[in-house]
Amino acid sequence: MTIALRVARLGAEADGVCPAEGDHPTIYVPYALDGELVEVSEAGKRGDALIGQIERILEPSPHRVEPVCQHFGICGGCAMQHTDDGGLGWKAGQVASALKAVAPDVLSDAFSTWQSPPAVRRRIDFGLRRSGKTVRVGLHRARSAEIVDIQHCPVIDPSLMELIAALRIVLPTLALLKREGSAVANMTENGIDLLLRTDRLPSVEDRTLLAAFAHQHGLARISWAEGERGRPEVLCQLRDPVITFSGHSITAPPGAFLQASRAAEDAIMAAIEAGLPKKRRKIVELFAGIGTFTLRLKPGMAYEGDEAAVAAVKRAGFGQITRRDLFRQPLQAAELRGVDVVILDPPHAGAAAQCATLAQAKVPRIIYVSCNPHALRRDATLLAGAGYRLVSASVIDQFLWSTQIETVAVFSL
């Protein structure tokens, strides 16, 4: 049975939203666009709502375009290849909604925006799953644990696609993957840095085969860790996996987080620098990572919770960084006395506890780099309650065609 529905808007996951009407509840329709008339069948439930699967598009949006990837609609990596702006307008709208507490009248077209071109992403996290004598290497299917064995990806740098194809050949010969695992590949200046996380210890033969694999494909380093929480161990290293930030070379730890591309990193940095007040005495950076912004901004003090990241920044020559778990032990108001600017780039969970103490300390300027509009909404609401206002916001679409949203929001008292 099918039903014809008019899409009222796009929701928080970029699905078309068809509000409850008559006998049917709210229906979410993946890959539908705002304003479209679609014929859908029931494909599942989401809470009290239903999920609809498009059977026919009766009235397409003028913004609908043909997706560029053969895996679109199956692979969960991209959700917005079918819209002419790649989803940038929707992302700006999500940021505007997140910032309503501090800027109730803000419109999404007031934000500065930047969008990544295709085929430049330098970092990829992907899944591994053995099935008999083959191994699937790819991204997860949308809203599923199933791995799509991707043969092509228009988002990532072609060298990463070549690596995936090569891994598909070598992994079935290795004992270290019993059933499933994951991998992180970072492009560095001396070659790809690969971290394998699997469910079995590597054998002596595995180590030999992986060393040969690194030589054959020009990898800088291959590391391994047991499961998702194991501590990485270097299996072979041909060259230091070096990343340069503002002229400072840093040897990245295995699996290190990098911004999606060099251009995206520069766009975020430009938005941060534009948000800095002209007169400032002391900057503190929180969630500093491996020094992406630290080594350029040279804050009075930086804090980061990951031991390997802190060590890497210190080896790069910046000693004013301290290891601290800012979720369990946020900087207190007394420690922030005399600080003019705080720059924070928290992970997906945001920084609720830290924002509470920032508000108590009345730090004059807060520059918040967010990768999650839901966490940004919560933390911005907290800051608004302490009297902060929004100075500016930049939407950095470094994850092209996905629903992931990067924002640089500047708050001031």
Side-chain angles (χ1 to χ4, degrees):
M1 177 180 175
T2 62
I3 184 173
L5 298 169
R6 179 74 66 181
V7 178
R9 59 185 174 84
L10 297 188
E13 296 182 25
D15 294 337
V17 179
C18 303
E21 183 178 334
D23 294 334
H24 74 74
T26 298
I27 300 177
Y28 295 100
V29 186
Y31 310 113
L33 294 178
D34 189 12
E36 289 187 326
L37 182 65
V38 293
E39 184 180 333
V40 305
S41 59
E42 185 178 333
K45 293 187 176 182
R46 186 183 300 172
D48 294 331
L50 296 178
I51 299 173
Q53 178 176 305
I54 295 177
E55 300 296 338
R56 284 194 302 161
I57 301 174
L58 303 174
E59 294 180 13
S61 165
H63 299 292
R64 179 173 284 275
V65 296
E66 192 67 23
V68 299
C69 180
Q70 68 195 62
H71 301 296
F72 182 71
I74 302 171
C75 171
C78 290
M80 307 201 77
Q81 285 188 15
H82 59 311
T83 179
D84 56 7
D85 71 348
L88 182 59
W90 171 80
K91 292 185 180 187
Q94 292 296 299
V95 173
S97 177
L99 294 172
K100 284 292 185 186
V102 284
D105 300 321
V106 72
L107 298 175
S108 58
D109 58 7
F111 302 147
S112 64
T113 59
W114 178 90
Q115 188 173 49
S116 173
V120 297
R121 189 163 172 178
R122 62 180 174 180
R123 183 183 197 275
I124 184 170
D125 298 66
F126 49 95
L128 313 171
R129 181 161 296 166
R130 186 183 287 277
S131 178
K133 295 183 179 180
T134 64
V135 173
R136 285 177 172 263
V137 184
L139 303 178
H140 288 95
R141 182 183 288 268
R143 301 178 184 86
S144 170
E146 182 184 347
I147 292 172
V148 179
D149 203 32
I150 59 173
Q151 306 297 319
H152 166 71
C153 179
V155 175
I156 62 176
D157 187 283
S159 63
L160 292 175
M161 195 63 242
E162 291 171 7
L163 172 67
I164 288 174
L167 285 170
R168 194 172 285 120
I169 295 170
V170 74
L171 284 171
T173 70
L174 302 178
L176 55 74
L177 184 66
K178 181 180 180 181
R179 183 173 180 273
E180 60 183 19
S182 64
V184 178
N186 280 328
M187 293 177 61
T188 76
E189 289 157 33
N190 291 332
I192 292 173
D193 184 26
L194 176 66
L195 170 62
L196 298 171
R197 290 187 173 276
T198 67
D199 52 2
R200 182 180 278 171
L201 295 172
S203 66
V204 173
E205 185 178 2
D206 286 347
R207 294 170 185 266
T208 301
L209 288 171
L210 285 170
F213 180 85
H215 278 279
Q216 180 182 356
H217 297 282
L219 273 64
R221 180 175 67 188
I222 299 178
S223 305
W224 170 85
E226 185 173 10
E228 293 304 310
R229 296 185 179 276
R231 190 183 184 92
E233 167 195 347
V234 175
L235 298 183
C236 61
Q237 181 167 327
L238 306 185
R239 295 171 295 278
D240 286 340
V242 170
I243 302 288
T244 300
F245 300 130
S246 303
H248 297 268
S249 295
I250 187 166
T251 300
F257 175 79
L258 301 178
Q259 301 299 339
S261 68
R262 177 70 72 180
E265 177 186 302
D266 290 342
I268 296 170
M269 186 73 252
I272 291 172
E273 291 183 323
L276 291 172
K278 292 182 179 180
K279 293 183 179 181
R280 53 189 184 268
R281 297 185 305 274
K282 186 176 181 181
I283 299 175
V284 167
E285 184 185 7
L286 309 177
F287 305 98
I290 61 168
T292 305
F293 310 125
T294 317
L295 295 171
R296 179 163 176 171
L297 293 171
K298 299 291 195 307
M301 182 58 72
Y303 296 88
E304 165 58 38
D306 184 76
E307 180 181 5
V310 171
V313 174
K314 287 184 175 180
R315 286 195 301 269
F318 185 80
Q320 289 75 49
I321 185 167
T322 297
R323 185 186 179 196
R324 183 159 172 169
D325 184 337
L326 295 169
F327 293 105
R328 296 183 178 182
Q329 191 184 3
L331 259 64
Q332 298 302 303
E335 298 174 276
L336 292 162
R337 192 173 294 119
V339 173
D340 302 292
V341 183
V342 166
I343 300 165
L344 66 159
D345 184 9
H348 194 263
Q354 186 60 80
C355 281
T357 65
L358 292 178
Q360 291 171 7
K362 300 292 184 184
V363 175
R365 180 66 56 97
I366 297 172
I367 302 177
Y368 190 130
V369 183
S370 166
C371 61
N372 178 0
H374 303 293
L376 178 61
R377 179 195 304 272
R378 180 200 62 213
D379 295 347
T381 300
L382 190 156
L383 294 174
Y388 283 88
R389 60 181 177 84
L390 181 69
V391 175
S392 65
S394 302
V395 180
I396 311 295
D397 188 11
Q398 63 172 327
F399 301 106
L400 181 66
W401 296 319
S402 79
T403 57
Q404 298 181 62
I405 305 172
E406 195 86 8
T407 309
V408 180
V410 181
F411 303 98
S412 184
L413 285 171

